[in-house]
Amino acid sequence: MFWIGCHLSAAKGYLAMGKEAVQLGANVFQFFTRNPRGGSVKALDMKDVEAYCTFHKENNFGTLLAHAPYTINLCAAKEDLRTFARNTMKEDLSRLELLPDVMFNFHPGSHVKQGADVGIPLIADALNDILSTGGKTTILLETMAGKGSEVGRSFEELRAIIDRVEQKERLGVCLDTCHVYDGGYDILSDLDGVLKEFDDIIGLDRLKAIHLNDSKNPMGSHKDRHEKIGEGTLGLEGVANVINHPKLAHLPFYLETPNEAEGYAREIALLRSLRKND
Ligand code: FE
Ligand code: FE
Ligand code: ZN
């Protein structure tokens, strides 16, 4: 099965996102758990949650991806910001427990001049605290482009976080194709080599999702600017290699390209035409 979808606005609720996904030709989707640049969240509409659960089964949807807001930073320099980030993630996770099949993706953090060696233990401590509250949702660390003081710019940094977490069975990684290419991993001409490196350092069994994006910039730029599929430095060939790679093809793919609904529908149709062996 080709699990393909895109990022959708959660403003109208889960059922509305499910219906929009079907219209776009998708069978998975990603959404922000709350305003990506703000903190507040509105009360859960239980009728909507129940309606979505039915919809999910009837339409044979795959695993959804909930994305944490950008404003949280588990390794911020100030303690009150770190506490806010922990509490936000705990609250998001408790809400996600009600959904049928979902993973929770977040950006590991920004060490803001403290250094990754300070940031990494702070992130791991926070994850241990967050996971200690229980639940079943898998938490994914996103591979980052290495812009500014982002933690998670290399497979080694992600491994260092995972090493310090007790409940490792609830941790996974989401590989963002734009970010890893920006981070200096040559998924265009040596996808096999990059996946071998991922497997050696993190383990491919930890890889649970792909953010499928083209990039506006050359490899190693550390800029994090997503491009439409086929219009960036990865190009159609680079993207087709990713969706068809035997070690990746079973994973869910989520587009985060600069598009409105129409553009997403076109990209999903294009990707389906490029997909082999389904
Ligand atoms: Fe992200
Ligand atoms: Fe991403
Ligand atoms: Zn990005």
Side-chain angles (χ1 to χ4, degrees):
M1 182 67 98
F2 185 24
W3 301 112
I4 178 72
C6 60
H7 186 90
L8 296 175
S9 163
K12 290 184 192 146
Y14 294 118
L15 184 61
M17 282 192 280
K19 287 181 174 171
E20 188 181 359
V22 166
Q23 275 174 1
L24 301 176
N27 52 15
V28 292
F29 59 89
Q30 174 178 268
F31 58 95
F32 282 120
T33 52
R34 56 183 78 208
N35 184 330
R37 309 206 178 271
S40 68
V41 65
K42 55 179 185 188
L44 267 184
D45 175 352
M46 286 312 297
K47 280 216 172 91
D48 179 47
V49 172
E50 278 164 35
Y52 179 76
C53 288
T54 306
F55 176 93
H56 186 90
K57 270 191 221 119
E58 283 175 359
N59 290 275
N60 299 312
F61 265 44
T63 308
L64 306 186
L65 194 54
H67 196 307
Y70 296 139
T71 42
I72 62 160
N73 185 4
L74 291 179
C75 62
K78 291 183 183 155
E79 193 182 355
D80 59 330
L81 295 179
R82 295 200 299 269
T83 304
F84 170 77
R86 282 184 192 204
N87 291 341
T88 300
M89 283 182 70
K90 285 178 188 172
E91 189 184 21
D92 282 355
L93 278 165
S94 74
R95 291 161 62 98
L96 294 174
E97 282 294 304
L98 303 168
L99 289 181
D101 186 10
V102 66
M103 301 184 289
F104 184 38
N105 175 74
F106 80 109
H107 295 179
S110 287
H111 62 67
V112 277
K113 293 181 187 156
Q114 304 171 97
D117 50 331
V118 173
I120 286 166
L122 285 174
I123 295 165
D125 284 353
L127 285 171
N128 282 325
D129 175 33
I130 291 162
L131 288 165
S132 73
T133 60
K136 61 179 179 340
T137 307
T138 300
I139 301 181
L140 305 186
L141 300 153
E142 182 168 352
T143 60
M144 302 310 294
K147 196 173 69 177
S149 64
E150 278 173 353
V151 180
R153 59 194 287 138
S154 66
F155 299 159
E156 284 83 357
E157 286 191 2
L158 295 177
R159 167 68 195 260
I161 296 169
I162 296 165
D163 272 344
R164 289 171 168 80
V165 173
E166 286 144 29
Q167 291 187 50
K168 291 184 177 50
E169 66 282 359
R170 282 189 59 199
L171 274 195
V173 172
C174 172
L175 186 145
D176 185 308
T177 53
C178 168
H179 295 177
V180 289
Y181 195 55
D182 243 27
Y185 293 96
D186 193 358
I187 56 169
L188 179 55
S189 32
D190 187 20
L191 181 57
D192 281 332
V194 173
L195 293 179
K196 164 94 174 45
E197 199 175 336
F198 189 103
D199 197 28
D200 289 345
I201 296 166
I202 300 175
L204 273 173
D205 56 340
R206 271 277 166 228
L207 182 57
K208 304 293 185 196
I210 305 279
H211 278 166
L212 194 63
N213 302 307
D214 211 328
S215 172
K216 283 195 197 292
N217 293 293
M219 189 178 79
S221 320
H222 304 294
K223 289 225 171 73
D224 189 3
R225 298 285 308 280
H226 302 191
E227 182 54 284
K228 294 189 174 84
I229 296 301
E231 295 183 22
T233 49
L234 285 172
L236 269 192
E237 198 193 326
V239 172
N241 285 342
V242 170
I243 59 170
N244 289 309
H245 195 285
K247 292 191 168 144
L248 305 178
H250 65 287
L251 295 169
F253 298 89
Y254 309 88
L255 294 161
E256 301 176 307
T257 46
N259 276 306
E260 302 296 325
E262 217 176 290
Y264 275 135
R266 240 180 292 127
E267 286 190 349
I268 290 166
L270 172 66
L271 290 161
R272 286 190 183 282
S273 76
L274 293 170
R275 172 87 167 189
K276 296 167 190 152
N277 306 322
D278 269 312

